[in-house]
Amino acid sequence: MKHRGRHRRRRRGKALRAALAGAALALTGAATMISASQATVADDPGALESLTATAATDDLRLTEHHVPRPWLDRLSAAMGEPVGIGAVLDSADHALRDADDCTTGEREALPVSPAADRAYCWEEGDTEGWRPGAVTTSGDADEDGRWGAHRVILSAWTRDDGTPEGGLARVSFVDADDPGRLTYTSALLAVPVDGGHDYRGLSSPVSGMVWYQDKLLVTAGTGGRDALFVYDVDRIQRATADGSTVGRVPGGWAAGGQPYVLPAVASYRLPDSSGAARPGAISLDRGTVPDSLVASERVPADGDRPTRLWRYALSTDPARSGLPDADSAGHVDAVEAYETGAAEVGGVLSYRPAGAARADWYLGRAAGGEDGRGTLWRQDTEGARAAECGADGSQRCWSGPAGSLSYWAETGEVWSQSGRMLFAVPMRSIEDALD
């Protein structure tokens, strides 16, 4: 009976992927009419080139800074005991819709090839005025794919205030225990100030995010030298006041309309150099020893330099759970680094298939400021390969505003989001599309 059930699920998965791919291809016929010469010759990023020069790797160094523990304790004492993720999920008051119930316009954000086997759309009312950001899951947090008893997806959003830097940032906690019914609620990302007597909102687009052990690492925008902020998922605080304000208010604590607040516990700052590399997308790689944090920067299509890809080792010290490995001075150095010709990189993933000698790098490349679809590339030190779709072999087959990539090893899926669509693509489908 178990075997027959598994085969039925596989058939249903294949049917759903075919339906989603067919719908996406039909919706974007114009986008796939790009000629093969345009897509293949002009955009091929070539092979990865190793970065070994000291000056080049120094530009990748980060320096760790912790929010003083008394600040965090003072904030918790004033706001009340932190709540656990289970309590957050139990209070979920919003629901995602299955792809079949999403509008035609919403489904246009889905990739054509490789196709998603699961897709959902966010509530319009809850996401209006917010820009989608990075995705991570409990598959990053723990090898068994769960946080406690729950499967969880975290989705970042930034309030669209009309500036590239963005307004307030939030993370939506999605209860993914039942694939047929995903519910969620959100927490404001904040930074303690005034000795822990108050907090401000994190004003930054979250283009990259990784949940590793009990820490959530998120990318910071270009407004300062902070490259990453760190949040402790055991320090989720409940907001006690409504309204659009943030921080201490008469009678309680406000979170810009969100029911919860996550105060930062640490940050990582860029080196004071003109060539400092700011992480634009990040992901987790459990295929290295120790586990590693993978990063890429975002270079515009009209930029005059290559894009850098690199990785930081994650600490194995129990006292530093969830944090990158740092030396006694708080410096975090890259343990591997490359240059690529790919621009507008919106998502990065490093993955080594079973039995392979080395990892491949997967890059979700945005449409380069133009309307239409992005491209999914696989690169190594020997060359690059892109997924193709349509009768003319176009490589513009991925989602247009290419988002972050997060591999869930337990399910074998890569999660991402684009527009108002949250979707998962089997890693096997990605490998098949790129073979």
Side-chain angles (χ1 to χ4, degrees):
M1 291 296 291
K2 291 183 179 179
H3 290 295
R4 287 199 294 272
R6 183 165 63 247
H7 293 326
R8 282 196 295 270
R9 288 193 296 272
R10 286 175 177 170
R11 288 196 295 271
R12 285 198 298 269
K14 290 179 180 179
L16 178 57
R17 286 194 294 274
L20 290 173
L25 191 57
L27 288 165
T28 58
T32 58
M33 292 297 288
I34 300 171
S35 70
S37 62
Q38 284 178 305
T40 306
V41 177
D43 293 345
D44 190 339
L48 296 176
E49 295 186 11
S50 296
L51 282 176
T52 56
T54 300
T57 54
D58 283 350
D59 285 338
L60 307 176
R61 169 178 284 181
L62 297 178
T63 302
E64 184 175 273
H65 295 268
H66 288 270
V67 175
R69 181 63 179 265
W71 290 31
L72 298 169
D73 291 344
R74 188 174 294 125
L75 194 59
S76 292
M79 296 187 70
E81 284 296 316
V83 299
I85 286 181
V88 172
L89 297 178
D90 287 343
S91 69
D93 53 355
H94 298 281
L96 288 99
R97 288 169 286 138
D98 189 78
D100 290 341
D101 299 320
C102 303
T103 68
T104 297
E106 288 169 332
R107 291 199 302 269
E108 284 181 348
L110 291 173
V112 172
S113 177
D117 69 341
R118 287 201 275 164
Y120 310 87
C121 48
W122 298 89
E123 286 187 8
E124 182 176 0
D126 185 55
T127 56
E128 185 176 2
W130 293 83
R131 291 181 295 184
V135 173
T136 184
T137 74
S138 53
D140 279 350
D142 195 279
E143 286 182 290
D144 72 0
R146 293 175 174 82
W147 186 256
H150 299 284
R151 288 186 171 91
V152 190
I153 301 168
L154 301 187
S155 167
W157 295 80
T158 304
R159 171 67 75 179
D160 192 350
D161 65 353
T163 68
E165 293 79 13
L168 298 176
R170 75 182 191 190
V171 170
S172 295
F173 289 74
V174 181
D175 185 341
D177 287 333
D178 180 359
R181 186 175 183 273
L182 303 189
T183 58
Y184 71 96
T185 190
S186 301
L188 181 78
L189 295 180
V191 180
V193 296
D194 191 22
H197 292 288
D198 205 347
Y199 55 80
R200 65 172 176 83
L202 175 67
S203 297
S204 173
V206 180
S207 56
M209 180 169 64
V210 164
W211 179 9
Y212 184 63
Q213 297 177 359
D214 61 346
K215 300 300 191 302
L216 184 64
L217 296 95
V218 307
T219 57
T222 58
R225 285 181 56 200
D226 287 312
L228 297 172
F229 280 89
V230 183
Y231 295 86
D232 187 334
V233 298
D234 291 327
R235 284 186 174 271
I236 304 172
Q237 302 284 166
R238 195 184 302 273
T240 57
D242 296 328
S244 60
T245 55
V246 173
R248 183 190 288 273
V249 297
W253 299 85
Q258 309 306 314
Y260 298 98
V261 179
L262 259 175
V265 299
S267 66
Y268 290 88
R269 294 179 185 167
L270 298 166
D272 188 12
S273 63
S274 59
R278 178 179 295 276
I282 57 175
S283 63
L284 177 70
D285 187 353
R286 289 190 178 275
T288 57
V289 179
D291 298 339
S292 57
L293 183 70
V294 172
S296 67
E297 61 181 344
R298 186 154 188 161
V299 175
D302 58 358
D304 58 358
R305 63 178 180 83
T307 296
R308 288 167 288 189
L309 313 173
W310 66 100
R311 74 171 77 235
Y312 301 113
L314 289 160
S315 180
T316 58
D317 183 352
R320 292 181 49 82
S321 62
L323 299 176
D325 191 30
D327 63 20
S328 59
H331 295 149
V332 178
D333 291 308
V335 295
E336 184 180 14
Y338 299 97
E339 285 184 345
T340 172
E344 299 285 356
V345 175
V348 63
L349 196 68
S350 173
Y351 172 75
R352 186 174 68 180
R358 61 189 177 197
D360 291 322
W361 291 72
Y362 297 80
L363 309 178
R365 180 180 177 183
E370 303 173 0
D371 292 335
R373 295 192 165 276
T375 307
L376 182 66
W377 288 97
R378 181 178 63 201
Q379 277 188 279
D380 57 23
T381 54
E382 296 180 357
R385 172 79 179 177
E388 297 179 354
C389 57
D392 59 356
S394 168
Q395 295 175 341
R396 304 289 191 184
C397 309
W398 196 240
S399 56
S404 70
L405 305 172
S406 180
Y407 177 60
W408 197 329
E410 183 208 11
T411 64
E413 295 171 312
V414 174
W415 283 87
S416 186
Q417 68 180 3
S418 183
R420 257 201 304 272
M421 298 299 299
L422 173 71
F423 60 90
V425 181
M427 190 69 203
R428 172 53 60 190
S429 297
I430 292 176
E431 291 179 303
D432 289 347
L434 293 167
D435 283 343

